[in-house]
mmCIF file of all heavy atoms in Angstrom:
data_model
loop_
_atom_site.group_PDB
_atom_site.id
_atom_site.type_symbol
_atom_site.label_atom_id
_atom_site.label_comp_id
_atom_site.label_asym_id
_atom_site.label_seq_id
_atom_site.Cartn_x
_atom_site.Cartn_y
_atom_site.Cartn_z
ATOM 1 N N THR M 222 -16.393 118.704 116.911
ATOM 2 C CA THR M 222 -17.000 118.268 115.653
ATOM 3 C C THR M 222 -17.905 117.053 115.819
ATOM 4 O O THR M 222 -18.796 116.831 115.006
ATOM 5 C CB THR M 222 -15.938 117.965 114.575
ATOM 6 O OG1 THR M 222 -15.066 116.938 115.031
ATOM 7 C CG2 THR M 222 -15.155 119.215 114.212
ATOM 8 N N VAL M 223 -17.724 116.275 116.876
ATOM 9 C CA VAL M 223 -18.548 115.087 117.120
ATOM 10 C C VAL M 223 -20.015 115.481 117.289
ATOM 11 O O VAL M 223 -20.916 114.771 116.852
ATOM 12 C CB VAL M 223 -18.035 114.322 118.362
ATOM 13 C CG1 VAL M 223 -18.991 113.222 118.772
ATOM 14 C CG2 VAL M 223 -16.655 113.750 118.082
ATOM 15 N N GLU M 224 -20.245 116.640 117.894
ATOM 16 C CA GLU M 224 -21.611 117.091 118.198
ATOM 17 C C GLU M 224 -22.417 117.493 116.963
ATOM 18 O O GLU M 224 -23.637 117.564 117.037
ATOM 19 C CB GLU M 224 -21.564 118.287 119.155
ATOM 20 C CG GLU M 224 -20.869 118.006 120.458
ATOM 21 C CD GLU M 224 -21.589 116.954 121.295
ATOM 22 O OE1 GLU M 224 -22.831 116.989 121.346
ATOM 23 O OE2 GLU M 224 -20.899 116.115 121.889
ATOM 24 N N TYR M 225 -21.740 117.782 115.855
ATOM 25 C CA TYR M 225 -22.435 118.367 114.706
ATOM 26 C C TYR M 225 -22.322 117.525 113.434
ATOM 27 O O TYR M 225 -22.405 118.054 112.330
ATOM 28 C CB TYR M 225 -21.909 119.786 114.458
ATOM 29 C CG TYR M 225 -22.082 120.662 115.666
ATOM 30 C CD1 TYR M 225 -20.995 120.995 116.470
ATOM 31 C CD2 TYR M 225 -23.342 121.122 116.032
ATOM 32 C CE1 TYR M 225 -21.154 121.790 117.594
ATOM 33 C CE2 TYR M 225 -23.517 121.913 117.160
ATOM 34 C CZ TYR M 225 -22.425 122.236 117.932
ATOM 35 O OH TYR M 225 -22.595 123.019 119.047
ATOM 36 N N ARG M 226 -22.149 116.242 113.576
ATOM 37 C CA ARG M 226 -22.062 115.336 112.424
ATOM 38 C C ARG M 226 -23.376 115.262 111.678
ATOM 39 O O ARG M 226 -24.433 115.433 112.292
ATOM 40 C CB ARG M 226 -21.683 113.929 112.908
ATOM 41 C CG ARG M 226 -20.280 113.822 113.386
ATOM 42 C CD ARG M 226 -20.020 112.452 113.952
ATOM 43 N NE ARG M 226 -18.621 112.332 114.344
ATOM 44 C CZ ARG M 226 -18.161 111.385 115.125
ATOM 45 N NH1 ARG M 226 -18.972 110.463 115.610
ATOM 46 N NH2 ARG M 226 -16.897 111.344 115.426
ATOM 47 N N PRO M 227 -23.363 114.993 110.393
ATOM 48 C CA PRO M 227 -22.215 114.749 109.515
ATOM 49 C C PRO M 227 -21.636 116.055 108.962
ATOM 50 O O PRO M 227 -22.321 117.075 108.893
ATOM 51 C CB PRO M 227 -22.814 113.927 108.378
ATOM 52 C CG PRO M 227 -24.216 114.422 108.266
ATOM 53 C CD PRO M 227 -24.631 114.763 109.693
ATOM 54 N N TRP M 228 -20.363 115.995 108.567
ATOM 55 C CA TRP M 228 -19.654 117.120 107.998
ATOM 56 C C TRP M 228 -19.445 116.908 106.506
ATOM 57 O O TRP M 228 -19.198 115.791 106.063
ATOM 58 C CB TRP M 228 -18.296 117.299 108.673
ATOM 59 C CG TRP M 228 -18.424 117.725 110.082
ATOM 60 C CD1 TRP M 228 -18.405 116.920 111.187
ATOM 61 C CD2 TRP M 228 -18.626 119.045 110.566
ATOM 62 N NE1 TRP M 228 -18.576 117.669 112.321
ATOM 63 C CE2 TRP M 228 -18.715 118.984 111.961
ATOM 64 C CE3 TRP M 228 -18.734 120.285 109.946
ATOM 65 C CZ2 TRP M 228 -18.902 120.115 112.748
ATOM 66 C CZ3 TRP M 228 -18.921 121.409 110.721
ATOM 67 C CH2 TRP M 228 -18.997 121.320 112.114
ATOM 68 N N LYS M 229 -19.501 117.988 105.769
ATOM 69 C CA LYS M 229 -19.292 117.979 104.321
ATOM 70 C C LYS M 229 -18.103 118.894 104.013
ATOM 71 O O LYS M 229 -18.042 120.021 104.521
ATOM 72 C CB LYS M 229 -20.564 118.499 103.640
ATOM 73 C CG LYS M 229 -20.481 118.669 102.166
ATOM 74 C CD LYS M 229 -21.801 119.252 101.642
ATOM 75 C CE LYS M 229 -21.644 119.674 100.202
ATOM 76 N NZ LYS M 229 -22.810 120.375 99.704
ATOM 77 N N LEU M 230 -17.162 118.408 103.212
ATOM 78 C CA LEU M 230 -16.022 119.233 102.804
ATOM 79 C C LEU M 230 -16.510 120.260 101.786
ATOM 80 O O LEU M 230 -17.040 119.903 100.743
ATOM 81 C CB LEU M 230 -14.931 118.349 102.186
ATOM 82 C CG LEU M 230 -13.653 119.051 101.748
ATOM 83 C CD1 LEU M 230 -12.892 119.590 102.954
ATOM 84 C CD2 LEU M 230 -12.778 118.091 100.957
ATOM 85 N N VAL M 231 -16.365 121.546 102.113
ATOM 86 C CA VAL M 231 -16.852 122.590 101.214
ATOM 87 C C VAL M 231 -15.733 123.408 100.584
ATOM 88 O O VAL M 231 -15.960 124.128 99.606
ATOM 89 C CB VAL M 231 -17.845 123.540 101.918
ATOM 90 C CG1 VAL M 231 -19.124 122.808 102.265
ATOM 91 C CG2 VAL M 231 -17.238 124.199 103.135
ATOM 92 N N HIS M 232 -14.512 123.299 101.133
ATOM 93 C CA HIS M 232 -13.395 124.066 100.576
ATOM 94 C C HIS M 232 -12.086 123.451 101.033
ATOM 95 O O HIS M 232 -11.987 122.965 102.166
ATOM 96 C CB HIS M 232 -13.471 125.527 101.048
ATOM 97 C CG HIS M 232 -12.400 126.389 100.487
ATOM 98 N ND1 HIS M 232 -12.336 126.748 99.162
ATOM 99 C CD2 HIS M 232 -11.317 126.960 101.070
ATOM 100 C CE1 HIS M 232 -11.274 127.509 98.961
ATOM 101 N NE2 HIS M 232 -10.642 127.654 100.113
ATOM 102 N N ASN M 233 -11.100 123.463 100.154
ATOM 103 C CA ASN M 233 -9.763 123.027 100.538
ATOM 104 C C ASN M 233 -8.715 123.737 99.692
ATOM 105 O O ASN M 233 -8.975 124.120 98.554
ATOM 106 C CB ASN M 233 -9.607 121.512 100.425
ATOM 107 C CG ASN M 233 -9.646 121.043 98.998
ATOM 108 O OD1 ASN M 233 -10.713 120.968 98.394
ATOM 109 N ND2 ASN M 233 -8.502 120.722 98.436
ATOM 110 N N GLU M 234 -7.558 123.945 100.284
ATOM 111 C CA GLU M 234 -6.409 124.551 99.619
ATOM 112 C C GLU M 234 -5.172 123.768 100.040
ATOM 113 O O GLU M 234 -4.983 123.512 101.224
ATOM 114 C CB GLU M 234 -6.251 126.017 100.017
ATOM 115 C CG GLU M 234 -7.436 126.885 99.650
ATOM 116 C CD GLU M 234 -7.311 128.303 100.185
ATOM 117 O OE1 GLU M 234 -6.175 128.780 100.388
ATOM 118 O OE2 GLU M 234 -8.360 128.925 100.411
#
Side-chain angles (χ1 to χ4, degrees):
T222 60
V223 171
E224 301 296 319
Y225 302 105
R226 289 175 177 164
W228 292 96
K229 175 182 169 187
L230 182 67
V231 293
H232 182 69
N233 68 283
E234 299 174 26

